[in-house]
């Protein structure tokens, strides 16, 4: 497998975690978003949408991190990222969707670049934008974890699931945008538990070959 990604990309980060949790070996190819390499013809030939990550599997290019992670779960079901019960799987998918559908899309690089260049937002305004929507999402996420029956070191059960795969990169992003995490103690506890696992340690942006 060959993973086209950028060290600081949240979607790339989540896919690295999923690949690591599945104990899969992959080669990394850096696509530097700061230099807009994703907009060049070379990468457009790999992914016409010109977004990271993209995963080359035996010459077939997979795109969109949710679809790639679902494929990983189907192709490499052990260890699982989803619980066995259909209701529990729905709960975990809903947690992941808070991040993947409601938080990350309006805080990703292309949105922030549009705020800067088309709406003349300064960095204070950009940070406020990110803090607002990350905060709303984390409030909802924490509330979903309030049930005593769900208490564990992770988002659900005694091992990382799809929900943790989505949550941890968003926490990384939240810290980059100076979000005060103190109001979400459960999320902080989950982040601390995940940070002890090699799969998460090796996926962090600062540990990537293109980190700078």
């Amino acid at each position: 497998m060959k993973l086209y990604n950028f060290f600081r990309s949240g979607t790339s980060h989540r896919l690295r975690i999923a690949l690591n949790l599945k104990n899969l070996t992959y080669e990394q190819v850096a696509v530097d978003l700061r230099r807009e390499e994703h907009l060049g013809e070379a990468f457009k030939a790999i992914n016409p949408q010109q977004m990271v990550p993209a995963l080359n599997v035996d010459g077939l290019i997979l795109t969109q991190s949710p679809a790639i992670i679902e494929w990983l779960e189907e192709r490499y079901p052990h260890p699982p990222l989803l619980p066995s019960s259909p209701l529990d799987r729905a709960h975990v998918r809903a947690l992941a969707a808070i991040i993947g559908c409601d938080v990350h899309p309006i805080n990703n690089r292309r949105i922030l670049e549009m705020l800067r260049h088309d709406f003349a937002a300064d960095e204070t305004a950009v940070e406020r934008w990110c803090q607002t929507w990350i905060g709303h999402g984390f409030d909802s996420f924490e509330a979903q974890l309030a049930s005593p029956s769900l208490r564990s070191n992770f988002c659900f059960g005694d091992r990382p699931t799809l929900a943790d795969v989505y949550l941890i990169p968003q926490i990384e992003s939240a810290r980059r945008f100076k979000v005060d995490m103190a109001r979400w103690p459960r999320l902080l506890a989950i982040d601390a538990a995940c940070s002890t696992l090699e799969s998460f340690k090796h996926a962090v942006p600062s540990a990537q070959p293109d980190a700078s």
Side-chain angles (χ1 to χ4, degrees):
M1 294 185 189
K2 184 179 293 186
L3 173 64
Y4 296 87
N5 76 147
F6 178 59
F7 76 102
R8 208 166 55 203
S9 155
T11 50
S12 298
H13 187 177
R14 77 171 67 131
L15 183 51
R16 291 193 300 266
I17 294 171
L19 287 163
N20 294 346
L21 286 169
K22 295 291 186 181
N23 300 308
L24 297 171
T25 301
Y26 54 96
E27 173 191 352
Q28 290 201 51
V29 178
V31 180
D32 195 334
L33 303 190
R34 298 164 299 183
R35 299 179 181 178
E36 298 194 336
E37 290 180 357
H38 59 301
L39 301 180
E41 290 302 315
F43 187 66
K44 186 177 181 180
I46 294 166
N47 180 6
Q49 196 178 12
Q50 298 177 284
M51 297 174 69
V52 292
L55 188 68
N56 184 320
V57 182
D58 298 327
L60 177 65
I61 303 296
L62 304 180
T63 62
Q64 289 288 346
S65 62
I68 300 172
I69 294 170
E70 289 285 350
W71 175 81
L72 289 173
E73 183 71 356
E74 293 171 359
R75 178 65 180 81
Y76 304 97
H78 301 290
L81 297 179
L82 290 167
S84 57
S85 159
L87 284 175
D88 290 343
R89 289 201 298 273
H91 174 70
V92 167
R93 284 188 169 111
L95 289 172
I98 291 173
I99 305 300
C101 299
D102 300 331
V103 178
H104 178 267
I106 57 174
N107 290 286
N108 68 17
R109 185 179 184 276
R110 64 178 180 169
I111 298 299
L112 304 188
E113 287 298 286
M114 189 169 188
L115 290 175
R116 292 180 178 110
H117 299 303
D118 291 20
F119 294 92
D122 61 16
E123 290 309 302
T124 299
V126 169
E127 282 188 359
R128 184 181 174 192
W129 172 276
C130 293
Q131 290 164 359
T132 297
W133 300 117
I134 292 172
H136 285 322
F138 282 0
D139 285 343
S140 298
F141 205 109
E142 181 106 346
Q144 295 273 11
L145 301 176
S147 171
S149 65
L150 298 178
R151 294 288 176 177
S152 72
N153 289 332
F154 303 104
C155 291
F156 185 89
D158 58 1
R159 67 176 67 185
T161 65
L162 187 69
D164 305 276
V165 168
Y166 275 72
L167 174 64
I168 299 308
Q170 193 60 62
I171 291 177
E172 171 82 21
S173 176
R175 290 183 171 125
R176 192 166 72 251
F177 290 111
K178 303 176 183 177
V179 175
D180 183 0
M181 292 294 301
R183 79 190 216 217
W184 304 292
R186 283 288 293 121
L187 302 193
L188 284 175
I190 291 166
D191 182 53
C194 289
S195 71
T196 67
L197 302 180
E198 294 301 314
S199 295
F200 287 83
K201 287 181 182 178
H202 293 314
V204 299
S206 61
Q208 304 317 304
D210 58 324
S212 60

